[in-house]
Coordinates of all heavy atoms in Angstrom, one line a residue:
D1 N 70.7 154.1 66.4 CA 70.0 153.8 67.7 C 70.5 154.7 68.8 O 69.8 155.1 69.7 CB 70.2 152.3 68.1 CG 69.3 151.4 67.2 OD1 68.4 151.9 66.5 OD2 69.6 150.2 67.2
S2 N 71.8 155.0 68.8 CA 72.4 155.7 69.9 C 72.0 157.2 69.9 O 72.2 157.9 70.9 CB 73.9 155.7 69.7 OG 74.3 156.2 68.5
V3 N 71.4 157.7 68.9 CA 71.0 159.1 68.8 C 69.4 159.3 68.7 O 69.0 160.4 68.7 CB 71.7 159.9 67.7 CG1 73.2 159.7 67.8 CG2 71.2 159.5 66.3
K4 N 68.7 158.2 68.5 CA 67.3 158.3 68.4 C 66.7 159.0 69.6 O 67.0 158.8 70.7 CB 66.7 156.9 68.2 CG 66.8 156.3 66.9 CD 66.1 155.0 66.8 CE 66.3 154.3 65.4 NZ 65.7 153.0 65.4
G5 N 65.8 160.0 69.3 CA 65.1 160.7 70.3 C 65.9 161.9 70.8 O 65.3 162.7 71.6
R6 N 67.1 162.0 70.4 CA 68.0 163.2 70.8 C 68.4 164.1 69.6 O 68.5 165.3 69.8 CB 69.2 162.7 71.5 CG 68.9 161.8 72.8 CD 70.2 161.5 73.5 NE 71.2 160.7 72.7 CZ 72.4 161.1 72.4 NH1 72.8 162.3 72.9 NH2 73.2 160.3 71.7
F7 N 68.6 163.4 68.5 CA 69.0 164.2 67.3 C 67.9 164.3 66.3 O 67.1 163.3 66.2 CB 70.2 163.5 66.7 CG 71.5 163.5 67.4 CD1 71.6 163.9 68.8 CD2 72.7 163.1 66.8 CE1 72.7 164.0 69.5 CE2 73.9 163.1 67.5 CZ 73.9 163.5 68.9
T8 N 67.9 165.4 65.5 CA 66.9 165.6 64.5 C 67.6 166.1 63.2 O 68.3 167.1 63.3 CB 65.8 166.5 64.9 OG1 65.2 166.0 66.1 CG2 64.8 166.6 63.8
I9 N 67.4 165.4 62.1 CA 68.0 165.9 60.9 C 66.9 166.6 60.1 O 65.7 166.3 60.1 CB 68.6 164.7 60.0 CG1 69.4 165.2 58.9 CG2 67.5 163.8 59.6 CD1 70.2 164.1 58.1
S10 N 67.3 167.7 59.4 CA 66.4 168.4 58.5 C 67.2 169.0 57.4 O 68.4 169.1 57.4 CB 65.7 169.5 59.3 OG 66.6 170.4 59.8
R11 N 66.4 169.4 56.3 CA 67.1 170.1 55.2 C 66.2 171.3 54.8 O 65.0 171.2 54.9 CB 67.3 169.1 54.0 CG 66.0 168.5 53.5 CD 66.4 167.4 52.5 NE 66.9 167.9 51.3 CZ 67.5 167.2 50.3 NH1 67.6 165.8 50.5 NH2 68.0 167.7 49.2
D12 N 66.9 172.3 54.3 CA 66.3 173.5 53.8 C 66.8 173.7 52.4 O 67.9 174.2 52.2 CB 66.6 174.7 54.7 CG 65.8 175.9 54.2 OD1 65.4 176.0 53.1 OD2 65.7 176.8 55.1
N13 N 66.0 173.2 51.4 CA 66.5 173.3 50.0 C 66.7 174.7 49.5 O 67.5 175.0 48.7 CB 65.5 172.6 49.1 CG 65.5 171.1 49.3 OD1 66.5 170.5 49.8 ND2 64.5 170.4 48.8
A14 N 65.9 175.6 50.1 CA 66.0 177.1 49.7 C 67.4 177.6 50.1 O 67.9 178.5 49.5 CB 64.9 177.9 50.3
K15 N 67.9 177.1 51.2 CA 69.2 177.6 51.7 C 70.4 176.6 51.4 O 71.5 176.8 51.8 CB 69.2 177.8 53.2 CG 68.2 178.9 53.6 CD 68.2 179.1 55.1 CE 67.3 180.2 55.6 NZ 67.3 180.4 57.0
N16 N 70.1 175.5 50.6 CA 71.1 174.6 50.2 C 71.8 174.0 51.5 O 73.0 173.8 51.4 CB 72.1 175.1 49.3 CG 71.5 175.7 48.0 OD1 70.4 175.2 47.6 ND2 72.1 176.7 47.4
T17 N 71.0 173.8 52.5 CA 71.6 173.4 53.8 C 70.9 172.2 54.5 O 69.7 172.2 54.4 CB 71.6 174.6 54.8 OG1 72.4 175.7 54.1 CG2 72.3 174.3 56.1
V18 N 71.7 171.4 55.1 CA 71.2 170.3 55.9 C 71.6 170.5 57.3 O 72.8 171.0 57.5 CB 71.7 168.9 55.4 CG1 71.2 167.8 56.3 CG2 71.2 168.6 54.0
Y19 N 70.7 170.3 58.2 CA 71.0 170.5 59.7 C 71.0 169.3 60.5 O 70.3 168.3 60.1 CB 70.0 171.5 60.2 CG 69.9 172.8 59.5 CD1 68.9 173.0 58.5 CD2 70.8 173.8 59.8 CE1 68.8 174.3 57.9 CE2 70.7 175.1 59.1 CZ 69.7 175.3 58.2 OH 69.6 176.5 57.5
L20 N 71.7 169.3 61.6 CA 71.6 168.2 62.6 C 71.4 168.9 63.9 O 72.4 169.5 64.5 CB 72.8 167.3 62.6 CG 72.7 166.1 63.5 CD1 71.6 165.1 63.0 CD2 74.0 165.4 63.6
Q21 N 70.2 168.9 64.5 CA 70.0 169.4 65.8 C 70.3 168.3 66.8 O 69.7 167.2 66.8 CB 68.5 169.8 66.0 CG 68.1 170.3 67.3 CD 68.9 171.6 67.7 OE1 68.9 172.5 66.9 NE2 69.4 171.7 68.9
M22 N 71.2 168.6 67.7 CA 71.6 167.6 68.7 C 71.3 168.1 70.1 O 71.8 169.1 70.5 CB 73.1 167.4 68.6 CG 73.6 167.0 67.2 SD 75.3 166.5 67.0 CE 76.1 168.1 67.5
N23 N 70.4 167.3 70.8 CA 70.0 167.7 72.1 C 70.5 166.6 73.1 O 70.8 165.4 72.7 CB 68.5 167.8 72.2 CG 68.0 168.9 71.3 OD1 68.6 169.9 71.1 ND2 66.8 168.7 70.8
S24 N 70.5 166.9 74.4 CA 70.8 165.9 75.4 C 72.2 165.2 75.1 O 72.3 164.0 75.2 CB 69.7 164.9 75.6 OG 68.5 165.5 75.9
L25 N 73.1 166.0 74.8 CA 74.4 165.5 74.3 C 75.1 164.8 75.5 O 75.0 165.1 76.6 CB 75.3 166.6 73.8 CG 74.9 167.0 72.3 CD1 75.5 168.4 72.0 CD2 75.4 166.0 71.3
K26 N 75.8 163.7 75.1 CA 76.5 162.8 76.0 C 78.0 162.8 75.6 O 78.4 163.1 74.5 CB 76.0 161.4 75.9 CG 74.5 161.3 76.1 CD 74.1 159.8 75.9 CE 72.6 159.7 76.1 NZ 72.1 158.3 75.9
P27 N 78.9 162.5 76.6 CA 80.3 162.5 76.3 C 80.6 161.5 75.1 O 81.5 161.8 74.3 CB 80.9 162.0 77.6 CG 80.0 162.5 78.6 CD 78.6 162.4 78.0
E28 N 79.8 160.5 75.0 CA 80.1 159.5 73.9 C 79.7 160.0 72.5 O 79.9 159.4 71.5 CB 79.4 158.2 74.2 CG 77.9 158.3 74.5 CD 77.7 158.3 76.0 OE1 78.5 159.0 76.8 OE2 76.7 157.6 76.5
D29 N 79.1 161.2 72.5 CA 78.8 161.9 71.2 C 80.0 162.6 70.7 O 80.0 163.2 69.5 CB 77.6 162.8 71.3 CG 76.3 162.1 71.7 OD1 76.0 161.1 71.1 OD2 75.6 162.7 72.5
T30 N 81.0 162.7 71.5 CA 82.3 163.4 71.0 C 82.9 162.8 69.8 O 83.1 161.5 69.8 CB 83.3 163.4 72.2 OG1 82.8 164.2 73.3 CG2 84.6 164.0 71.7

């Protein structure tokens, strides 16, 4: 709940990689 609307998870199977895009970061995300 604390990251909904701000973070986005995705995966690229071709690159064997999972990503986490983090926007509107807050000090409590540290």
Side-chain angles (χ1 to χ4, degrees):
D1 287 343
S2 58
V3 307
K4 281 181 181 177
R6 300 188 298 123
F7 291 11
T8 303
I9 191 171
S10 62
R11 60 189 290 169
D12 186 337
N13 289 344
K15 295 183 178 181
N16 302 331
T17 301
V18 176
Y19 302 98
L20 185 68
Q21 178 66 43
M22 305 187 297
N23 299 328
S24 302
L25 283 161
K26 304 175 181 180
E28 50 264 44
D29 294 318
T30 295

